[in-house]
Amino acid sequence: MSILRQATTVLGARLGYVRPLYVHYGVTHRCNMQCRMCVVWKEGNAAEELAPAAIRPMADGLVEAGVRMVTLGGGEPFVRRDLPDVVAAFHERGSEVRILTNGIG
């Protein structure tokens, strides 16, 4: 996202045009680790995850609401084989996409 676009969005928020700038979206509860302090991986089920085709309308709605940055997390996002399609669903709509990962695998 350009600095000008960020500045415009922040200025709009300060002037009372309150819009969310950032969203964290948990794309999965599956994980390639089983950390003792975390229970997210116990609930993981690939069949319950939204497919990229179902994520696209959500991404459209977030952009319309003013969201400019999306962080994809979970669980471990890289366990999804379709993660490139999930990233594209947001990126193609102009969102800056970041991925929160454990870095394993």
Side-chain angles (χ1 to χ4, degrees):
M1 176 185 324
S2 74
I3 292 175
L4 179 61
R5 188 170 175 186
Q6 287 178 354
T8 303
T9 304
V10 171
L11 179 61
R14 291 200 179 261
L15 293 174
Y17 306 109
V18 180
R19 291 179 161 237
L21 300 175
Y22 167 84
V23 167
H24 175 90
Y25 174 53
V27 296
T28 185
H29 278 93
R30 294 179 292 142
C31 189
N32 56 355
M33 297 184 70
Q34 295 180 357
C35 302
R36 289 183 189 172
M37 81 285 193
C38 179
V39 296
V40 171
W41 58 270
K42 291 181 181 181
E43 311 254 334
N45 182 350
E48 294 178 357
E49 297 169 359
L50 289 180
I55 292 172
R56 286 185 188 96
M58 178 182 62
D60 288 334
L62 290 172
V63 169
E64 288 175 22
V67 172
R68 298 296 175 241
M69 183 186 310
V70 177
T71 297
L72 305 178
E76 172 51 48
F78 282 100
V79 300
R80 286 190 65 146
R81 293 179 190 253
D82 61 352
L83 185 61
D85 297 326
V86 173
V87 171
F90 291 99
H91 182 73
E92 290 170 354
R93 285 149 181 82
S95 295
E96 180 179 327
V97 181
R98 296 177 180 192
I99 299 176
L100 184 60
T101 178
N102 62 25
I104 303 297

